[in-house]
Amino acid sequence: MIETTGDDRRFPPALADVARAEFDYDEGEGVDFEPYDAFDSAEETTHWLRQWTGNHELDGDAYRVFGQDGTGGLAAVWCARPGRPTAEQPVVFMGSEGECGVVAGNLSDFLWVLADGFGPMEAVEYPDREPRPDAALAELAERHATTPRRPARRITAEARAEFPTFADDVMELCR
């Protein structure tokens, strides 16, 4: 049996709006992101994390999975700041082939990453690609964001500077 903490899994309104947005894959040149309309359950998240890492002692309590790419890589809110609301937690990506990284320092910044034409996978795997601004996602970000608009590259770089060991720490879980 998988133990869970019963932590708050209420879906933020901003992510509910993201779930209704359209993402143009554009034959691999666009955004490969399929947002969910709710967080995965604690049990699903724990099961996935154990399979992804091979470490069956882990639980998924630190993550709120809210989307995936076409290969099954997952986007999640990482509850790295104890006692802070979901919207103030960083957004991370963990790919199907072991790639991982911090996408944005909080949900608001994540919205600006999307508006700049980057999905979670693109922000981690191709942070230097040219932006492809999306007007509909920019409008969504303007409705929900509490941080100023900045380029996706800058947002991702700031988040990686704040959490420089995330990828290494996750890889340690696999041992």
Side-chain angles (χ1 to χ4, degrees):
M1 178 173 188
I2 298 171
E3 294 180 18
T4 61
T5 63
D7 288 345
D8 183 13
R9 289 188 178 266
R10 287 177 289 180
F11 210 55
L15 285 181
D17 279 357
V18 168
R20 290 187 289 273
E22 294 201 21
F23 291 88
D24 184 8
Y25 182 64
D26 191 21
E27 299 181 27
E29 298 299 317
V31 175
D32 185 2
F33 182 49
E34 302 165 16
Y36 302 163
D37 60 5
F39 288 128
D40 276 352
S41 71
E43 293 82 8
E44 289 172 304
T45 302
T46 293
H47 177 75
W48 172 82
L49 187 62
R50 288 177 177 177
Q51 295 301 310
W52 192 75
T53 63
N55 182 340
H56 296 283
E57 302 299 317
L58 297 175
D59 65 48
D61 288 348
Y63 302 98
R64 305 291 181 271
V65 175
F66 66 88
Q68 66 181 44
D69 70 4
T71 67
L74 299 180
V77 173
W78 173 38
C79 300
R81 298 179 176 120
R84 305 272 291 275
T86 301
E88 294 179 17
Q89 304 292 346
V91 173
V92 298
F93 175 76
M94 293 187 248
S96 63
E97 300 299 320
E99 58 279 85
C100 65
V102 181
V103 175
N106 55 55
L107 186 55
S108 178
D109 282 348
F110 176 66
L111 299 175
W112 293 122
V113 169
L114 295 176
D116 211 17
F118 289 78
M121 184 272 294
E122 292 83 14
V124 168
E125 291 295 302
Y126 309 107
D128 293 326
R129 80 176 201 164
E130 286 301 311
R132 295 173 52 118
D134 183 301
L137 290 169
E139 183 180 309
L140 186 154
E142 288 168 1
R143 283 195 314 271
H144 293 284
T146 58
T147 55
R149 185 174 191 163
R150 300 176 320 287
R153 285 185 188 125
R154 182 170 163 204
I155 289 169
T156 300
E158 289 169 359
R160 288 181 180 168
E162 183 177 358
F163 301 101
T165 64
F166 173 75
D168 292 335
D169 293 345
V170 168
M171 289 300 111
E172 280 295 314
L173 297 175
C174 298
R175 297 183 179 163

